[in-house]
Amino acid sequence: MLKIAVLGCGRIGVMHAANVAAHPRASLAGVYDIIAAAADACGARHGAPVFDTPEEVFASPDVDAVLIASATSTHSDYIEAAVAAGKPVLCEKPIDLDLKRVELCKSRIAGTDLPIMLGFVRRFDPGHRAARQAMLDGEIGDLHQVTIVSRDPGMAPDAYIETSGGIFRDMTIHDFDLARFMLGEEVETVFATGSRLVNPALMDRCNDYDTVVVTMTTASGKQAIITNSRQAVYGYDQRVELFGNKGMVISENHRENQVTRHLNGATNVSAPLLNFFIERYSEAFNAEIGHFVDAVENGVPVEVGFEDGRLALVLAEAAFKSIADGRAVRVSEIG
Ligand SMILES: NC(=O)c1ccc[n+]([C@@H]2O[C@H](COP(=O)([O-])OP(=O)(O)OC[C@H]3O[C@@H](n4cnc5c(N)ncnc54)[C@H](O)[C@@H]3O)[C@@H](O)[C@H]2O)c1
């Protein structure tokens, strides 16, 4: 059993703590949150120790590894502290909102052979993985286009948007990583357009966008198209399409059940989409923990690591620059 401590007991930390506690090959070594009441509630739910300081977590001999699910601004500091203490890391995305801070963190942990895994959970979605495997098995021939549709069910609270770092660093970052995972080669150019259609006043205030399309191209000419909206009235819309010269595979949306209704005046009516990321990607979040355990205990190479987190942020920077400059941006311009 890998003893994992969870740092941060907010929306996603509470979910991770429950997943770790329930995992057959992991146990919850303890929790910490800067808000003691949040940590107390989470620890009590699983009968797990509550740490008073992050230093105690990193120093504890009863903690084999840490899962960083605290606010984004804390990630780099915690990664560095974990590496200094010899503890493997599973860290939520993004590593930081500032690429310079990510580069500094990279230099500070350079040379470590500890597993450092990034929480790009969509790589572990069974549907997305099966679509990718079909492509790798040659079912669609040569891959030409990756199309990712990712729309949230509704706008996050103003306070969240204001500190999110903008849609590309906060939301599209998952899709940048998924696109790289599917393309199998690095992106060379990024062209982005952004609109303020859902909440124009908030977007103006934050200099952000709620509706974006990103087109990316690799050296060999493969294309990836990402479509994001902060609000889809019909629910959490998550689809991935891989198109090649011999066919296409699609990882479809997940619904509350697979029943379709064919009634008088209403045909082919499906159940609603699963509401949001915790429900939609529940299998993936569990598989992510399983992969982390494999990496730490069995030496399996981490499938999505620090450099993937850095490169996704580079693509986010390129997308913002593309909109600002009104042109396609070469990734080499960013770093
Ligand atoms: N993988 C995903 O799909 C996904 C989804 C949501 C959020 N996230 C990421 O997870 C992280 C947390 O997001 P959230 O939605 O749970 O936010 P949240 O605001 O609900 O929770 C963050 C928690 O971190 C705590 N915190 C703040 N500073 C801390 C510190 N120094 N030490 C320990 N705890 C501290 C806060 O008190 C809060 O409880 C963010 O980086 C976010 O980008 C990832």
Side-chain angles (χ1 to χ4, degrees), residues 6-16 32-36 38-39 53-54 68-75 77-78 91-97 118-122 160 164 169-171 173-174 236 276-278 281 285 288:
V6 173
L7 293 153
C9 302
R11 191 169 54 143
I12 205 160
V14 162
M15 179 211 72
H16 279 307
Y32 169 73
D33 195 291
I34 202 163
I35 299 172
T53 66
I68 302 170
S70 43
T72 298
S73 58
T74 66
H75 293 182
D77 289 347
Y78 282 162
C91 182
E92 265 307 336
K93 48 58 62 178
I95 300 172
D96 197 274
L97 296 179
L118 253 286
F120 284 127
V121 66
R122 295 180 195 179
Y160 177 93
S164 71
R169 293 186 192 91
D170 174 55
M171 181 175 170
I173 195 134
H174 278 292
Y236 191 40
F276 207 10
F277 61 92
I278 288 179
Y281 287 113
F285 280 117
E288 182 180 79

Side-chain angles (χ1 to χ4, degrees), residues 2 25 115 290-301:
L2 184 71
R25 292 184 293 138
H291 180 67
F292 184 55
V293 174
D294 278 338
V296 177
E297 297 218 309
N298 305 328
V300 172

Side-chain angles (χ1 to χ4, degrees), residues 147-220:
T147 303
I148 299 174
V149 174
S150 175
R151 300 188 177 107
D152 281 356
M155 200 78 183
D158 288 16
Y160 177 93
I161 297 290
E162 282 159 5
T163 57
S164 71
I167 189 166
F168 295 127
R169 293 186 192 91
D170 174 55
M171 181 175 170
T172 324
I173 195 134
H174 278 292
D175 308 307
F176 288 131
D177 180 68
L178 194 58
R180 290 184 57 249
F181 185 54
M182 296 298 183
L183 287 166
E185 59 183 88
E186 292 304 334
V187 171
E188 271 202 352
T189 60
V190 176
F191 180 72
T193 56
S195 298
R196 296 165 179 166
L197 303 176
V198 181
N199 188 338
L202 176 62
M203 292 300 128
D204 278 347
R205 202 164 73 235
C206 303
N207 193 23
D208 196 2
Y209 308 94
D210 50 37
T211 309
V212 299
V213 177
V214 183
T215 306
M216 307 192 290
T217 313
T218 67
S220 74

Side-chain angles (χ1 to χ4, degrees), residues 52-65:
D52 292 329
T53 66
E55 290 75 21
E56 279 178 30
V57 177
F58 298 119
S60 172
D62 297 323
V63 172
D64 297 330

Side-chain angles (χ1 to χ4, degrees), residues 249-333:
V249 287
I250 303 178
S251 176
E252 300 277 7
N253 270 319
H254 287 200
R255 299 179 181 280
E256 288 175 6
N257 61 58
Q258 305 313 312
V259 173
T260 55
R261 288 169 172 73
H262 304 262
L263 311 170
N264 186 7
T267 56
N268 206 18
V269 178
S270 304
L273 302 180
L274 287 179
N275 184 53
F276 207 10
F277 61 92
I278 288 179
E279 296 81 14
R280 168 64 179 82
Y281 287 113
S282 65
E283 289 168 289
F285 280 117
N286 270 308
E288 182 180 79
I289 302 288
H291 180 67
F292 184 55
V293 174
D294 278 338
V296 177
E297 297 218 309
N298 305 328
V300 172
V302 164
E303 200 170 286
V304 50
F306 189 94
E307 186 60 5
D308 297 297
R310 192 188 72 82
L311 287 168
L313 196 63
V314 166
L315 296 179
E317 297 293 321
F320 277 122
K321 186 169 176 54
S322 171
I323 293 183
D325 294 359
R327 63 178 175 92
V329 168
R330 296 189 78 78
V331 173
S332 57
E333 295 176 50

